[in-house]
Every structure is written in structure tokens, then in C-alpha cells.
Amino acid sequence: MAEGTDDRALPATEELALAREALQAGDLTRAADHVANALARAPTLPEVHETLARLATAGGSGGLDLFPLHHHTFVGAVVARAHLLAAAGHPAEGLDLLVAAAAHAPGTDWAGVPWVTSPELAERIGPDQVARVLMQVCAAAPDPVPRSDRAALTPYLTLARNAITIHPEHALLLGTASALARRAGEVPLAVRWAGRGVRAAPSKMGEVWLGYALRSAGRTREGLAALRRAVDHDPDDLAVYADIAGTLADHGRLDEALSWIERALARNPSFDCAVHTAHRLRFQRDGDVRHLVALADYIRDNPDDSHEHADLAECCRGRPWLGQLTPPTVRPQPLPLTSAEPSTGRPGTPPPSAEATRRLRQLAHLAWPHPPAAYDTAVALATLDLTDLLGLLAHPPETPENALGRVLSGQDPALWVRCVQVWTCLGLLHHRTDEPWPSSTRRQVLVELAQASEIAEAALFALVTAAWVDPSIRPDVAQVVTERLAAAASDRAGPLPVTVSLAHLALATPGLDPECATLARMLAGAPARPGRSTLRGLLGRLLRPFRPRLPSPPP
């Protein structure tokens, strides 16, 4: 389906005027185009439907030939065809097209027309067909639907009410109606309908719909009881186990939640919902990033999950380096141009090209769903050459004139330089990816940059991200991170402000040595802090393999 509306399009009233002119001239194809445009702009305007009816009368096949369906059909044409199908005695097919339009442009009141809300429709198409339509609407809608978009569900709720009035004991109809009511924020109604459905015909899905409704109503204990009954109906539906586990975890009952998810994994260790939930709950339990890395590995190796999962993004959201950059601990500076190493900059490093600046400004942001997603986003810089990438570091572009730029200008403009550093270093990960990692240009440049205080965190984050997406390089990256953190922590003046950020980077590193992880937790301010003697011991063990390259630990 093509895009629905265009802000440059004419208002619906002007489209209607053009449609009437075309009708009068006998140009039905042009009239149909203008009616479709008017429907896309004002789908419930009576004058639009009056003009559509005139067009149907003038055209053959009730006007259906004027609105054929193709692979990419304009949404206004789809809706016009839906109304014409209903007028031609095929309302079920018309409803299917309205639901397709709702999936394409949620929040638009495509179905707010008399033929959908008429009690006669529910009687004509029957309860099974109404239930199927309601399921389609639910599948296309978030749970719950944002308050601003709920009005578009009102016609379907009216259809559900009309059908239930005629078929008050139809369990499938009651269950799907409950699911729709819950999404629309009509929670008491959802509970009432789901309860009636279970009483009419107990079933797994009936109990699931009731459990969800009760949970939304804040009646958690009763909701869990309903979900447990659903398991009794079908012990092999592991998605219900995951729902129970998630509900228990949301209410602080983590041990019970993990017990349920372990039961699911015992039945099927590779079931996607159970795997996602298990790693999320284990991370909730101990905060160890290895669970999230394992989840990322699972996602990479199993791209065809049964449906989308947001567990990894939920766990990383708002966490330093896992889901967002940390505020600069020192004011970020451009890459120094005094290095003798040609790979990381030299006097005369030219500014980046206009194309490099444009791409960087398009993708740079303060947050990302998780490290693999940041890696994927940075592929937009893959075709930039090394001179351009180093030019971005040496000559950071000005803050962009967009929403992000306005936020940064109003808070701390230094954050933009940090954004440039982070995303440019991520872009370096895509430079000459055909080169083997140990001897690659991308590794050499990032490891050298990690030694420069002005850009160390950005370079290390890129290395850590590389370790998330490539298990084979994890020992190498963990060693680089360990060395850099130990060097910062051993500063005789005491831990520097940047050390806290480096500690969070270490805690995000796959395969980090347990002793380095203990040091990182201490430096990051975790509750369990080793004593000073423990710190000396940790640093001694971490620094031993490469002591000549680092300052001595404090006495």
C-alpha cells in the first residue's frame, strides 16, 4: 500500500471540487483519483461519500473498476473500494480493506461511517466473521493503543457491541471483543466480556484474554490465576509461560518468574519468547551483561523469530553505553593533529567532505536501542574513506539545525562533539571490513584512539560494539578495555572523572575478566565496593601482564 496522506496535497474540499468537475466532464478516472485523495484527507466527511456514490452510479461494476487493487495501491483508493464493496453487498470484504488501511495509517478514523456501525452489519456477516475482523484490528494495533489514536477504534467497538447483543454467548466473539476493548482503554468492559466468554466456553484463549484484561485492570492475582488455567488447557503453549513470568517479574516476584521461564525452556530450549524472557529476567536478577550478549547472539543466529521482541532494547534503554552515551566527563576536544602516527591524524588532516558531514548529521544521536543496533545504523558511514572519518574527528561539524541540535544547544553543546566522536568511531568499524581483524586498519586506528584521552571513550565503545557483533574478537577487545580501565584506575591522583565512564564501558564488554568486572563495578559506584586493599590487589593482578606500559598503582 502506498503512502496515505501528503501534507502538500490539496484540502479535501478542493479535491471534491475537482472530482465534481471531472465527473461533469465524464472523466471518471480523474474523478476517482480526486475522490481517493479526498478520502485520505477526510475519510468520514459526508460530502466525500456522496461524491463517491455519484461516481459509483456513473461507472460500471458499481465503480469498483475505478479503484483496482495493485501491490502499491494508494490508501485512499483502498478505502474507496472498501465502501463500494459494502454498497455492492460485500461488507466483509470491505471491512478487510478498512482494517488494512488502519494497519497502514493507525489513528485515522477509516471505519467511522454508518455502514460499519449499523446493527444490521453484525447481523449480516455473523459472529465468526466479526471475531475475525476484530482479531485483525487487534493484530494491527499496539497494546494499549495511544490515547490520541483510540477514537479510530470506536467504530469497531460499536461493531463488537452490536454483534454481542445478537450473539451474547459466542465465546470467540466475546474474547476478541475483550482484546479490542483492552487496547482501546475500555478495561472494565474488557474484563466483563472476557469473563462472559470463559463462562460460555472455557478455553485456553478465553483464559488468556481474561488474564490480560484482569492484569490491565490491576487485578494481578486474578490475572495470573487465569493465565495458569490457560496453561492447564494447553501445557505446550510456552508463550503463556513467558507472559506469566513477565507479569511476576513486573511485580517484584523474580524468583517465581525465573521458575516459570525455566519450565518453558525445559520443554523447548529454543522457543524464542522463552529465550528472550529468560535472558531479560536473568539480567534483571544480577545485572550481568553476559545475559544480554547471549540474547544478542541468539537474535543474530535466529533472525526468523515468531514475532518481534523488545527485551534487549528494554534492558539497554537508559543504561550508560548499552543504550545511550554518557555525558562528557571532560569537555570533548577535536582529535589532536600532532600525532606522528599516520593512521590517527597528522598535521594538515583535511576537514571532512560535505557528504561525510551530511551522513554524520543524519544518523548521530544520543541514544540507540542496543549496541548491535548502533553498529547497524553506523553502516551509513561505510563508504567514507579514512581521511573523511578522521576529518570528522579532527574537525567536528557544527551542531545540526534540527530537533537534536536544538536540544543540545539548550543543554550542553559539548554533547554534540561527543556524538560526533561516538558515531564516527562506530563508522570506523565498517572501514575495510574485508581485512582480518587482528591486522585490520579499523582495529589499529580504534586501539590508538583509545589511548587518547580526548576520544578514548568513543573509540572503546566502538571496540566494545564490535565485540557484541563478532564473538571471535571478544578476548582481544576485553584485553584492550581491561588495560585502559586499569591504567585510568591506577592514576596516582586517584580515579579521574572519566574513569566512571570507562567503568560503565567495561561492564558493557562481552567476555570481560571477572576481576576486571569487579574493579569496574567498584569504580562505577555499584553498591558492593571492595576495600582499598582489594583495589590494590585487583590492580596488581590486572596490570601485571603489561606493567611497563602503564603507571604504577598507588601505594
Side-chain angles (χ1 to χ4, degrees):
M1 189 177 294
E3 289 299 318
T5 58
D6 183 345
D7 288 339
R8 296 169 298 178
L10 295 173
T13 52
E14 294 186 31
E15 294 285 3
L16 281 178
L18 293 172
R20 290 166 185 149
E21 286 180 11
L23 260 174
Q24 190 171 3
D27 190 344
L28 301 187
T29 300
R30 185 162 63 90
D33 289 341
H34 288 299
V35 168
N37 290 336
L39 273 172
R41 304 293 288 181
T44 62
L45 187 67
E47 291 86 346
V48 178
H49 292 270
E50 291 170 7
T51 306
L52 178 61
R54 287 179 55 197
L55 185 61
T57 302
S61 303
L64 290 170
D65 291 346
L66 296 169
F67 300 98
L69 292 182
H70 304 294
H71 185 61
H72 293 292
T73 302
F74 177 56
V75 67
V78 171
V79 174
R81 185 177 180 86
H83 296 315
L84 294 177
L85 282 168
H90 305 288
E93 296 177 46
L95 279 173
D96 287 342
L97 292 182
L98 290 183
V99 172
H104 173 74
T108 302
D109 190 9
W110 302 113
V113 291
W115 70 265
V116 175
T117 56
S118 168
E120 295 176 1
L121 176 63
E123 190 168 2
R124 287 180 63 188
I125 67 176
D128 290 333
Q129 186 69 28
V130 173
R132 188 179 70 82
V133 168
L134 299 182
M135 281 191 280
Q136 289 177 317
V137 174
C138 289
D143 187 7
V145 170
R147 189 177 298 276
S148 59
D149 292 345
R150 290 177 184 174
L153 298 181
T154 300
Y156 297 107
L157 273 178
T158 301
L159 174 62
R161 286 189 174 94
N162 292 338
I164 290 171
T165 299
I166 302 168
H167 308 281
E169 302 300 319
H170 195 284
L172 180 61
L173 173 61
L174 287 161
T176 55
S178 171
L180 178 64
R182 188 181 74 251
R183 285 169 170 77
E186 298 281 353
V187 175
L189 181 61
V191 172
R192 188 161 63 251
W193 277 344
R196 285 173 56 181
V198 168
R199 289 192 296 272
S203 67
K204 178 194 73 174
M205 281 308 303
E207 296 288 5
V208 168
W209 282 318
L210 178 59
Y212 290 171
L214 289 166
R215 189 173 62 182
S216 296
R219 296 160 63 178
T220 305
R221 181 181 60 80
E222 297 169 81
L224 285 169
L227 293 176
R228 291 188 182 103
R229 291 193 299 270
V231 171
D232 292 338
H233 279 285
D234 183 3
D236 292 324
D237 189 345
L238 303 186
V240 182
Y241 291 64
D243 285 337
I244 293 173
T247 302
L248 288 167
D250 290 343
H251 290 81
R253 298 159 65 177
L254 195 55
D255 290 340
E256 290 179 74
L258 285 164
S259 173
W260 272 94
I261 212 63
E262 295 299 341
R263 286 174 58 184
L265 291 173
R267 285 180 170 270
N268 184 352
S270 62
F271 179 63
D272 56 350
C273 289
V275 172
H276 281 257
T277 303
H279 287 306
R280 174 169 57 85
L281 297 184
R282 290 165 185 164
F283 179 72
Q284 272 185 246
R285 177 187 59 196
D286 58 28
D288 194 326
V289 76
R290 66 188 173 92
H291 304 303
L292 303 187
V293 174
L295 178 53
D297 290 345
Y298 176 86
I299 294 170
R300 184 185 61 251
D301 296 337
N302 298 272
D304 298 322
D305 280 358
S306 62
H307 61 272
E308 287 191 16
H309 296 86
D311 300 81
L312 182 58
E314 288 178 10
C315 290
C316 292
R317 185 180 297 120
R319 294 181 180 271
W321 295 115
L322 288 174
Q324 66 180 43
L325 58 79
T326 63
T329 49
V330 295
R331 179 162 291 275
Q333 300 292 328
L335 178 69
L337 301 181
T338 57
S339 170
E341 297 293 335
S343 60
T344 58
R346 58 188 181 274
T349 299
S353 66
E355 175 64 13
T357 297
R358 184 188 67 80
R359 292 194 203 176
L360 189 283
R361 283 176 163 167
Q362 281 186 334
L363 63 87
H365 206 273
L366 300 173
W368 43 86
H370 43 72
Y375 176 87
D376 290 342
T377 300
V379 75
L381 304 179
T383 57
L384 299 183
D385 59 30
L386 187 60
T387 300
D388 258 341
L389 291 167
L390 295 177
L392 288 168
L393 296 176
H395 308 279
E398 294 295 322
T399 306
E401 296 180 359
N402 55 21
L404 174 63
R406 289 189 291 273
V407 169
L408 295 178
S409 298
Q411 294 182 1
D412 182 0
L415 276 172
W416 169 246
V417 176
R418 194 165 176 83
C419 271
V420 171
Q421 293 174 344
V422 165
W423 287 99
T424 302
C425 287
L426 287 171
L428 281 164
L429 291 178
H430 297 278
H431 180 70
R432 296 182 186 173
T433 52
D434 58 317
E435 296 178 344
W437 175 259
S439 59
S440 65
T441 302
R442 61 191 187 283
R443 181 193 182 279
Q444 178 190 359
V445 173
L446 288 169
V447 169
E448 291 179 8
L449 290 174
Q451 308 309 313
S453 60
E454 301 88 349
I455 200 169
E457 297 156 89
L460 284 172
F461 174 62
L463 290 167
V464 168
T465 298
W468 273 71
V469 299
D470 184 355
S472 69
I473 69 172
R474 286 172 185 171
D476 174 52
V477 171
Q479 179 67 16
V480 173
V481 172
T482 296
E483 294 181 13
R484 192 65 177 84
L485 180 66
S490 66
D491 190 280
R492 289 185 178 276
L496 301 172
V498 72
T499 309
V500 175
S501 180
L502 293 176
H504 283 297
L505 273 167
L507 292 174
T509 303
L512 195 69
D513 180 86
E515 289 187 330
C516 186
T518 299
L519 172 64
R521 282 192 292 271
M522 180 199 71
L523 295 172
R529 292 170 177 260
R532 188 168 182 79
S533 60
T534 305
L535 173 59
R536 286 200 298 268
L538 282 172
L539 285 173
R541 288 190 291 275
L542 292 173
L543 291 169
R544 189 175 298 122
F546 43 92
R547 185 182 298 276
R549 295 159 55 191
L550 297 172
S552 300

